[in-house]
Amino acid sequence: MDPKVSNGACLQQEHITDLLVFGFLQNCCSSNFHQELQALGHELPVPACLREDDDDELQTDGSRCSRIVRGSDETESESQEEIIQNIARQLAQIGDRMDSSIPSRVVNNLAMEFMNVNLSEEDRKDCLSAALEVVMETYPKDMEKEKTMLMLTMLLAKKVADHTPSLLRGVFHTTVNFINQNLLTYVRNLVRNVRTSDVSSSASH
């Protein structure tokens, strides 16, 4: 990922967002981009248990993530990765329930825009932002705004990749950059707040 578009996020913060978006996409049901996600996993600093070419099949409930080895030598970084994976799994479960409510015209238009090789990264983020504004209008105003934005941003990425799997890599990096630019503080707080608690109460309300 190009550090110039990360809005000053440090390497660890970029890793948090990479892992969150990757975990979300991996845990979503009914995806058409299995091979593309497998290839992307080899480009990212994700734990081995998240890579799609492990011997055992990915479970839609994200159970493979629980294979991280725990022990006295477990580092703080590994603990944080597990927290992020749990958040991603919870958000993906909510996203699956929201999936059918995303208008197909929004997905089709966004996919077409991402196919335009002449668009800059800033242009792609603007397109993603415009699509997000459209779908945000359809959701209850009593939902926490930042949580809804995070959920729908990743869900739009999933829908575009489902529509055109070859776009996965590009839409993944644009989504990560968009989150780092607009929602990084929220993501960091979400991870911090669920360090010692079940993420379902924080991610599903």
Side-chain angles (χ1 to χ4, degrees):
M1 179 168 46
D2 186 350
K4 292 183 293 186
V5 293
S6 65
N7 198 36
C10 70
L11 181 62
Q12 182 182 12
Q13 292 167 345
E14 290 180 349
H15 176 52
I16 288 173
T17 313
D18 281 338
L19 191 57
L20 179 64
V21 178
F22 185 87
F24 179 90
L25 293 173
Q26 190 182 52
N27 282 286
C28 282
C29 294
S30 305
S31 66
N32 297 320
F33 45 81
H34 178 91
Q35 291 183 344
E36 290 78 9
L37 194 65
Q38 176 181 333
L40 181 63
H42 288 288
E43 301 177 18
L44 302 173
V46 299
C49 79
L50 281 180
R51 290 180 183 151
E52 298 257 336
D53 56 353
D54 277 0
D55 292 337
D56 49 330
E57 292 295 324
L58 170 68
Q59 302 298 315
T60 55
D61 64 356
S63 59
R64 244 179 47 191
C65 296
S66 64
R67 292 173 57 233
I68 290 181
V69 176
R70 299 188 184 195
S72 58
D73 60 345
E74 179 180 10
T75 66
E76 181 179 352
S77 175
E78 289 169 338
S79 176
Q80 185 179 65
E81 286 175 345
E82 186 172 6
I83 290 169
I84 297 167
Q85 291 159 24
N86 287 336
I87 293 172
R89 182 170 62 250
Q90 293 284 349
L91 292 175
Q93 290 171 354
I94 301 168
D96 287 337
R97 297 196 294 269
M98 294 182 172
D99 188 282
S100 61
S101 63
I102 301 294
S104 58
R105 61 178 177 81
V106 174
V107 177
N108 293 339
N109 290 341
L110 190 57
M112 289 297 295
E113 289 165 337
F114 269 84
M115 289 179 195
N116 185 350
V117 296
N118 295 319
L119 289 184
S120 66
E121 177 63 11
E122 286 300 321
D123 290 335
R124 291 188 179 91
K125 285 192 290 185
D126 288 343
C127 292
L128 181 58
S129 178
L132 180 61
E133 287 183 12
V134 172
V135 296
M136 282 283 290
E137 293 176 358
T138 67
Y139 283 87
K141 297 297 185 287
D142 59 351
M143 292 180 66
E144 186 178 0
K145 183 178 179 180
E146 290 82 0
K147 189 174 299 178
T148 306
M149 287 180 63
L150 179 62
M151 162 66 58
L152 293 178
T153 299
M154 295 192 293
L155 187 55
L156 280 170
K158 183 260 183 181
K159 298 286 283 183
V160 169
D162 250 349
H163 180 281
T164 310
S166 62
L167 294 175
L168 174 67
R169 187 178 184 277
V171 75
F172 172 87
H173 288 296
T174 297
T175 300
V176 168
N177 291 334
F178 180 87
I179 292 172
N180 281 339
Q181 187 173 44
N182 298 281
L183 294 164
L184 183 59
T185 298
Y186 176 75
V187 170
R188 292 174 62 192
N189 288 338
L190 183 62
V191 172
R192 184 181 303 114
N193 291 340
V194 299
R195 277 188 180 277
T196 59
S197 63
D198 182 1
V199 300
S200 59
S201 60
S202 295
S204 61
H205 292 327

